[in-house]
mmCIF file of all heavy atoms in Angstrom:
data_model
loop_
_atom_site.group_PDB
_atom_site.id
_atom_site.type_symbol
_atom_site.label_atom_id
_atom_site.label_comp_id
_atom_site.label_asym_id
_atom_site.label_seq_id
_atom_site.Cartn_x
_atom_site.Cartn_y
_atom_site.Cartn_z
ATOM 1 N N LEU A 267 85.863 256.371 -53.567
ATOM 2 C CA LEU A 267 84.609 255.681 -53.286
ATOM 3 C C LEU A 267 83.603 256.571 -52.584
ATOM 4 O O LEU A 267 82.399 256.318 -52.644
ATOM 5 C CB LEU A 267 84.887 254.447 -52.408
ATOM 6 C CG LEU A 267 85.653 253.299 -53.043
ATOM 7 C CD1 LEU A 267 85.893 252.209 -52.017
ATOM 8 C CD2 LEU A 267 84.909 252.746 -54.236
ATOM 9 N N LEU A 268 84.077 257.597 -51.896
ATOM 10 C CA LEU A 268 83.205 258.435 -51.085
ATOM 11 C C LEU A 268 82.707 259.663 -51.833
ATOM 12 O O LEU A 268 82.002 260.485 -51.252
ATOM 13 C CB LEU A 268 83.939 258.876 -49.810
ATOM 14 C CG LEU A 268 84.483 257.730 -48.955
ATOM 15 C CD1 LEU A 268 85.254 258.271 -47.763
ATOM 16 C CD2 LEU A 268 83.357 256.831 -48.482
ATOM 17 N N ALA A 269 83.074 259.821 -53.092
ATOM 18 C CA ALA A 269 82.615 260.974 -53.857
ATOM 19 C C ALA A 269 81.134 260.822 -54.185
ATOM 20 O O ALA A 269 80.669 259.724 -54.508
ATOM 21 C CB ALA A 269 83.425 261.120 -55.140
ATOM 22 N N PRO A 270 80.347 261.895 -54.091
ATOM 23 C CA PRO A 270 78.914 261.786 -54.409
ATOM 24 C C PRO A 270 78.697 261.574 -55.891
ATOM 25 O O PRO A 270 79.449 262.077 -56.732
ATOM 26 C CB PRO A 270 78.358 263.151 -53.960
ATOM 27 C CG PRO A 270 79.518 264.080 -54.059
ATOM 28 C CD PRO A 270 80.727 263.260 -53.696
ATOM 29 N N ILE A 271 77.653 260.852 -56.235
ATOM 30 C CA ILE A 271 77.362 260.554 -57.641
ATOM 31 C C ILE A 271 75.930 260.935 -58.000
ATOM 32 O O ILE A 271 75.439 260.563 -59.057
ATOM 33 C CB ILE A 271 77.584 259.058 -57.946
ATOM 34 C CG1 ILE A 271 76.701 258.188 -57.047
ATOM 35 C CG2 ILE A 271 79.040 258.696 -57.789
ATOM 36 C CD1 ILE A 271 76.785 256.711 -57.379
ATOM 37 N N SER A 272 75.248 261.678 -57.127
ATOM 38 C CA SER A 272 73.874 262.074 -57.425
ATOM 39 C C SER A 272 73.835 262.997 -58.639
ATOM 40 O O SER A 272 72.960 262.887 -59.503
ATOM 41 C CB SER A 272 73.251 262.772 -56.205
ATOM 42 O OG SER A 272 73.231 261.904 -55.094
ATOM 43 N N HIS A 273 74.780 263.939 -58.682
ATOM 44 C CA HIS A 273 74.855 264.880 -59.795
ATOM 45 C C HIS A 273 76.284 264.865 -60.334
ATOM 46 O O HIS A 273 77.171 265.463 -59.725
ATOM 47 C CB HIS A 273 74.466 266.282 -59.339
ATOM 48 C CG HIS A 273 73.083 266.360 -58.767
ATOM 49 N ND1 HIS A 273 71.951 266.353 -59.545
ATOM 50 C CD2 HIS A 273 72.654 266.425 -57.486
ATOM 51 C CE1 HIS A 273 70.885 266.432 -58.781
ATOM 52 N NE2 HIS A 273 71.281 266.468 -57.519
ATOM 53 N N PRO A 274 76.549 264.197 -61.450
ATOM 54 C CA PRO A 274 77.907 264.149 -61.996
ATOM 55 C C PRO A 274 78.421 265.549 -62.304
ATOM 56 O O PRO A 274 77.684 266.396 -62.815
ATOM 57 C CB PRO A 274 77.733 263.325 -63.285
ATOM 58 C CG PRO A 274 76.485 262.550 -63.071
ATOM 59 C CD PRO A 274 75.607 263.404 -62.234
ATOM 60 N N PRO A 275 79.671 265.851 -61.971
ATOM 61 C CA PRO A 275 80.217 267.196 -62.227
ATOM 62 C C PRO A 275 80.373 267.460 -63.709
ATOM 63 O O PRO A 275 80.680 266.564 -64.508
ATOM 64 C CB PRO A 275 81.580 267.154 -61.516
ATOM 65 C CG PRO A 275 81.955 265.706 -61.482
ATOM 66 C CD PRO A 275 80.653 264.961 -61.348
ATOM 67 N N LYS A 276 80.157 268.722 -64.087
ATOM 68 C CA LYS A 276 80.289 269.133 -65.477
ATOM 69 C C LYS A 276 81.628 269.815 -65.744
ATOM 70 O O LYS A 276 82.069 269.865 -66.886
ATOM 71 C CB LYS A 276 79.142 270.073 -65.856
ATOM 72 C CG LYS A 276 77.762 269.432 -65.743
ATOM 73 C CD LYS A 276 76.672 270.425 -66.135
ATOM 74 C CE LYS A 276 75.296 269.796 -66.019
ATOM 75 N NZ LYS A 276 74.205 270.763 -66.382
ATOM 76 N N ASP A 277 82.251 270.387 -64.716
ATOM 77 C CA ASP A 277 83.501 271.114 -64.876
ATOM 78 C C ASP A 277 84.553 270.535 -63.940
ATOM 79 O O ASP A 277 84.228 270.020 -62.853
ATOM 80 C CB ASP A 277 83.314 272.605 -64.587
ATOM 81 C CG ASP A 277 82.275 273.249 -65.498
ATOM 82 O OD1 ASP A 277 82.296 272.919 -66.691
ATOM 83 O OD2 ASP A 277 81.462 274.055 -64.999
ATOM 84 N N LEU A 278 85.805 270.644 -64.352
ATOM 85 C CA LEU A 278 86.900 270.175 -63.503
ATOM 86 C C LEU A 278 87.160 271.128 -62.353
ATOM 87 O O LEU A 278 87.622 270.707 -61.289
ATOM 88 C CB LEU A 278 88.173 270.010 -64.346
ATOM 89 C CG LEU A 278 88.126 268.940 -65.438
ATOM 90 C CD1 LEU A 278 89.448 268.916 -66.192
ATOM 91 C CD2 LEU A 278 87.830 267.574 -64.837
ATOM 92 N N GLN A 279 86.865 272.419 -62.535
ATOM 93 C CA GLN A 279 87.055 273.411 -61.499
ATOM 94 C C GLN A 279 85.712 273.968 -61.072
ATOM 95 O O GLN A 279 84.749 273.973 -61.843
ATOM 96 C CB GLN A 279 87.972 274.535 -61.979
ATOM 97 C CG GLN A 279 89.405 274.081 -62.245
ATOM 98 C CD GLN A 279 90.322 275.236 -62.574
ATOM 99 O OE1 GLN A 279 89.873 276.275 -63.039
ATOM 100 N NE2 GLN A 279 91.610 275.052 -62.331
ATOM 101 N N VAL A 280 85.644 274.445 -59.851
ATOM 102 C CA VAL A 280 84.374 274.890 -59.293
ATOM 103 C C VAL A 280 84.614 276.106 -58.412
ATOM 104 O O VAL A 280 85.650 276.210 -57.739
ATOM 105 C CB VAL A 280 83.713 273.754 -58.484
ATOM 106 C CG1 VAL A 280 84.605 273.284 -57.349
ATOM 107 C CG2 VAL A 280 82.360 274.169 -57.945
ATOM 108 N N HIS A 281 83.675 277.041 -58.444
ATOM 109 C CA HIS A 281 83.689 278.194 -57.550
ATOM 110 C C HIS A 281 83.002 277.792 -56.239
ATOM 111 O O HIS A 281 81.881 277.268 -56.264
ATOM 112 C CB HIS A 281 82.953 279.381 -58.172
ATOM 113 C CG HIS A 281 83.695 280.019 -59.307
ATOM 114 N ND1 HIS A 281 84.650 280.987 -59.116
ATOM 115 C CD2 HIS A 281 83.622 279.811 -60.647
ATOM 116 C CE1 HIS A 281 85.129 281.365 -60.278
ATOM 117 N NE2 HIS A 281 84.536 280.663 -61.238
ATOM 118 N N VAL A 282 83.655 278.031 -55.124
ATOM 119 C CA VAL A 282 83.113 277.656 -53.819
ATOM 120 C C VAL A 282 83.183 278.842 -52.878
ATOM 121 O O VAL A 282 84.022 279.743 -53.038
ATOM 122 C CB VAL A 282 83.876 276.456 -53.216
ATOM 123 C CG1 VAL A 282 83.669 275.208 -54.042
ATOM 124 C CG2 VAL A 282 85.353 276.765 -53.064
ATOM 125 N N ARG A 283 82.296 278.815 -51.903
ATOM 126 C CA ARG A 283 82.306 279.795 -50.813
ATOM 127 C C ARG A 283 82.517 279.041 -49.509
ATOM 128 O O ARG A 283 81.909 277.992 -49.283
ATOM 129 C CB ARG A 283 80.988 280.567 -50.756
ATOM 130 C CG ARG A 283 80.939 281.646 -49.679
ATOM 131 C CD ARG A 283 79.636 282.435 -49.784
ATOM 132 N NE ARG A 283 78.500 281.593 -49.477
ATOM 133 C CZ ARG A 283 78.034 281.406 -48.230
ATOM 134 N NH1 ARG A 283 78.637 281.991 -47.205
ATOM 135 N NH2 ARG A 283 76.999 280.630 -48.024
ATOM 136 N N VAL A 284 83.366 279.549 -48.650
ATOM 137 C CA VAL A 284 83.712 278.887 -47.400
ATOM 138 C C VAL A 284 82.602 279.145 -46.379
ATOM 139 O O VAL A 284 82.327 280.295 -46.043
ATOM 140 C CB VAL A 284 85.070 279.373 -46.862
ATOM 141 C CG1 VAL A 284 85.431 278.614 -45.592
ATOM 142 C CG2 VAL A 284 86.158 279.202 -47.918
ATOM 143 N N VAL A 285 81.971 278.077 -45.923
ATOM 144 C CA VAL A 285 80.913 278.180 -44.928
ATOM 145 C C VAL A 285 81.473 278.067 -43.518
ATOM 146 O O VAL A 285 81.052 278.772 -42.597
ATOM 147 C CB VAL A 285 79.841 277.093 -45.158
ATOM 148 C CG1 VAL A 285 78.736 277.182 -44.126
ATOM 149 C CG2 VAL A 285 79.274 277.209 -46.566
ATOM 150 N N ARG A 286 82.463 277.186 -43.349
ATOM 151 C CA ARG A 286 83.125 277.008 -42.047
ATOM 152 C C ARG A 286 84.627 276.959 -42.265
ATOM 153 O O ARG A 286 85.095 276.409 -43.254
ATOM 154 C CB ARG A 286 82.653 275.711 -41.373
ATOM 155 C CG ARG A 286 81.208 275.742 -40.909
ATOM 156 C CD ARG A 286 80.884 274.484 -40.122
ATOM 157 N NE ARG A 286 80.921 273.297 -40.980
ATOM 158 C CZ ARG A 286 80.892 272.060 -40.515
ATOM 159 N NH1 ARG A 286 80.860 271.841 -39.209
ATOM 160 N NH2 ARG A 286 80.909 271.041 -41.341
ATOM 161 N N ASP A 287 85.354 277.546 -41.328
ATOM 162 C CA ASP A 287 86.812 277.520 -41.441
ATOM 163 C C ASP A 287 87.306 276.076 -41.432
ATOM 164 O O ASP A 287 86.907 275.280 -40.573
ATOM 165 C CB ASP A 287 87.443 278.283 -40.270
ATOM 166 C CG ASP A 287 87.141 279.777 -40.326
ATOM 167 O OD1 ASP A 287 86.817 280.265 -41.415
ATOM 168 O OD2 ASP A 287 87.229 280.452 -39.278
#
Side-chain angles (χ1 to χ4, degrees):
L267 292 177
L268 304 177
I271 58 175
S272 300
H273 301 283
K276 298 180 180 179
D277 301 318
L278 295 179
Q279 294 186 335
V280 59
H281 288 274
V282 294
R283 182 175 66 87
V284 183
V285 180
R286 291 186 293 169
D287 293 339

